[in-house]
Amino acid sequence: MPRTVVIAGAGHGAGQVVASLKQHKFDGRIVLVGEEPYLPYQRPPLSKKYLAGEMPPERLYFKPESFYDDDNIEILLETRIEGIDRQSHAISTAGGNSIRYDKLVLATGSRVRNLPVPGADLAGIHYLRSIGDVEAIRSDLAKAKHIVIVGAGYIGLEVAAVCRQMGLEVTVIEMAGRVMSRVVSEQVSNFFEKLHTRHGVDIRLSTGLAAFEGDGKLTHVVTASDERIAADLAVVGVGIVPNTELAQNAGLAVNDGIVVDDQCRTDDADIYAIGDCTWHPNSIYDRYLRLESVHNALEQAKTAAANICGIETHYAQVPWFWSDQYDIKLQIAGLSQGFDTAVLRGDPASASFACFYLRDGILVAVDAINSPREFMQSKALIANRARIATDVLADPDVLLRDLA
Ligand code: FAD
């Protein structure tokens, strides 16, 4: 076994690397280096219960502090890694320290995509990625009446739901012609658009952002068609960028993420990468992917840790995600991109239905709305590339479990 494992980044995936190394009885030195001031924590509640004030901060943490009270684990927070010297097997930090590794795990995640429009520096404009971001949003929310959300992806719509439930006026502007267009089909987009409209959110589709306006502090959001929408606060959720610079500067292969194989190894045998920052193969879809999901970060972390400990492990997972908006839970298994047939099971008007996606007759994904059974039971069918007749999928009386 290697003597020292250094983990670059102290996010969700990094926490799981530590947990899995401990589980495999790794007895060398583990050094966790993260630029944020927090121990590894879960980001999903940041746009849901934590933003709503319904979750205490201690429940955000992946593991309690006592979990890391192990002589072998060293944690360096508020420490940014600036470079990797592959020759001497060492990372260098912004503070000028150098730390040697036998195996390095890059778990650097992603950062928000910024919108470089006029007025972007005004007070009252927020992005949402970290605990610190939520604290800043909450402090402004306490004084706000009207919030504009830029981008109708998962995060934007989750924030919209929380703000409506706080009684704020909410406008969402979205450049695409439908909400969550990157991840769900038209049927499911329509359901969520109606859901938000029913809750009083003003959704403006096919609407670009031109500028933010205000005198030091945001007062209006200006759309590409020159409309001015009053706003005390704006939250921008227009996607993320993988943190690949460390890998790239070290000469590792990078595509839309750090390139790894199905054992989470980069093209340097002593450097692994996991989570949001990776460009990795998926054998079920027979292509490379970059995923922004907790499940992927945790599973890649387990894969990397096992391989570091000499237990050969290959990553082969059906991707899955979820989103909570009002009393609706959306669960997505698989990837629907490129589907040729969509099949509804149940009635969207009942707020409990599933939309299955097939490609060449093979089930590739499901969007399950308040339908946990369809979500759970579809995973095995997707993994097995099952061929299922559309009338069978549409029939709520057929248990998918019996088809697996
Ligand atoms: P991260 O958790 O982002 O951790 C990476 C860490 O590395 C960060 O702390 C970063 O600051 C640090 N870092 C980067 N570069 C350096 C460096 N050079 N030196 C030191 N440290 C560095 N996923 C779901 O599946 N379901 C959801 O409902 C969901 N909701 C979400 C809601 C929000 C608001 C957000 C922001 C994300 C959500 N996600 C959700 C996505 C999910 O949180 C991510 O996919 C997951 O956190 C990825 O884990 P990671 O370990 O790859 O990266």
Side-chain angles (χ1 to χ4, degrees):
M1 279 214 198
R3 278 165 303 148
T4 302
V5 175
V6 173
I7 306 167
H12 211 146
Q16 182 63 51
V17 175
V18 177
S20 296
L21 287 173
K22 280 180 73 158
Q23 192 188 342
H24 294 306
K25 312 267 182 271
F26 176 77
D27 60 3
R29 177 183 177 217
I30 301 171
V31 188
L32 185 63
V33 188
E35 65 187 346
E36 289 190 69
Y38 315 101
L39 288 172
Y41 65 93
Q42 314 170 63
R43 294 180 204 276
L46 298 184
S47 48
K48 308 177 181 73
K49 287 193 163 174
Y50 187 66
L51 178 65
E54 293 167 6
M55 186 190 244
E58 58 276 13
R59 284 203 40 217
L60 284 178
Y61 290 97
F62 177 70
K63 296 280 179 193
E65 205 171 340
S66 56
F67 170 82
Y68 304 94
D69 287 346
D70 179 323
D71 287 347
N72 298 336
I73 302 176
E74 288 168 46
I75 303 183
L76 302 174
L77 299 178
E78 296 182 83
T79 305
R80 184 166 172 80
I81 299 177
E82 299 269 271
I84 306 169
D85 183 339
R86 288 168 57 191
Q87 292 281 308
S88 57
H89 276 63
I91 56 135
S92 53
T93 70
N97 290 325
S98 167
I99 305 167
R100 252 198 59 78
Y101 63 83
D102 296 306
K103 300 286 180 193
L104 173 65
V105 182
L106 299 174
T108 46
S110 49
R111 60 182 179 273
V112 294
R113 187 182 295 283
N114 281 291
L115 279 182
V117 294
D121 296 337
L122 290 170
I125 299 167
H126 296 271
Y127 290 80
L128 176 43
R129 182 81 203 164
S130 66
I131 294 180
D133 294 337
V134 179
E135 304 311 340
I137 292 172
R138 277 214 258 173
S139 138
D140 276 2
L141 273 180
K143 299 164 269 173
K145 279 208 178 83
H146 195 153
I147 169 165
V148 173
I149 290 164
V150 182
Y154 288 126
I155 291 179
L157 293 185
E158 287 175 354
V159 174
V162 169
C163 291
R164 273 309 291 150
Q165 285 165 322
M166 289 175 169
L168 296 165
E169 286 173 38
V170 182
T171 305
V172 176
I173 67 169
E174 164 59 52
M175 203 146 79
R178 58 188 180 84
V179 305
M180 293 196 287
S181 61
R182 218 163 49 88
V183 284
V184 297
S185 65
E186 211 167 320
Q187 288 96 325
V188 178
S189 286
N190 291 343
F191 171 82
F192 278 94
E193 184 188 338
K194 283 189 194 142
L195 173 74
H196 281 274
T197 307
R198 234 183 11 257
H199 277 88
V201 177
D202 179 4
I203 296 199
R204 316 270 182 100
L205 299 173
S206 306
T207 302
L209 170 76
F212 294 109
E213 263 184 16
D215 185 8
K217 158 129 188 36
L218 178 72
T219 55
H220 291 88
V221 171
V222 185
T223 70
S225 52
D226 219 19
E227 192 182 349
R228 294 169 76 246
I229 306 170
D232 314 302
L233 174 68
V235 176
V236 183
V238 293
I240 58 162
V241 183
N243 289 324
T244 56
E245 291 78 1
L246 269 183
Q248 195 152 15
N249 294 341
L252 298 171
V254 168
N255 192 315
D256 183 24
I258 304 166
V259 180
V260 293
D261 63 12
D262 67 351
Q263 295 184 53
C264 298
R265 294 177 304 199
T266 66
D267 51 354
D268 179 326
D270 292 326
I271 305 182
Y272 290 73
I274 61 154
D276 279 16
C277 65
T278 66
W279 179 245
H280 60 270
N282 185 296
S283 56
I284 296 160
Y285 296 95
D286 200 20
R287 64 184 169 98
Y288 273 74
L289 307 168
R290 181 171 62 74
L291 295 172
E292 299 157 22
S293 97
V294 165
H295 165 250
N296 174 62
L298 298 181
E299 290 302 324
Q300 285 196 315
K302 291 176 195 169
T303 303
N307 287 310
I308 287 171
C309 293
I311 306 158
E312 190 178 317
T313 304
H314 299 263
Y315 173 94
Q317 297 282 327
V318 174
W320 62 265
F321 319 84
W322 78 94
S323 178
D324 298 328
Q325 298 170 34
Y326 310 103
D327 53 353
I328 300 292
K329 182 171 277 295
L330 165 67
Q331 291 169 298
I332 301 178
L335 301 170
S336 59
Q337 285 89 350
F339 75 91
D340 52 38
T341 308
V343 182
L344 275 183
R345 171 182 283 213
D347 179 4
S350 72
S352 168
F353 69 101
C355 190
F356 297 101
Y357 303 97
L358 298 146
R359 186 171 184 173
D360 300 329
I362 294 172
L363 183 67
V364 291
V366 62
D367 294 339
I369 289 86
N370 285 351
S371 298
R373 192 181 66 179
E374 272 64 27
F375 166 71
M376 287 305 294
Q377 297 183 354
S378 294
K379 281 192 203 162
L381 295 169
I382 296 168
N384 293 330
R385 302 180 194 225
R387 275 182 190 280
I388 310 174
T390 53
D391 56 334
V392 171
L393 281 176
D395 184 350
D397 293 332
V398 175
L399 278 181
L400 296 173
R401 186 185 59 207
D402 297 341
L403 305 173

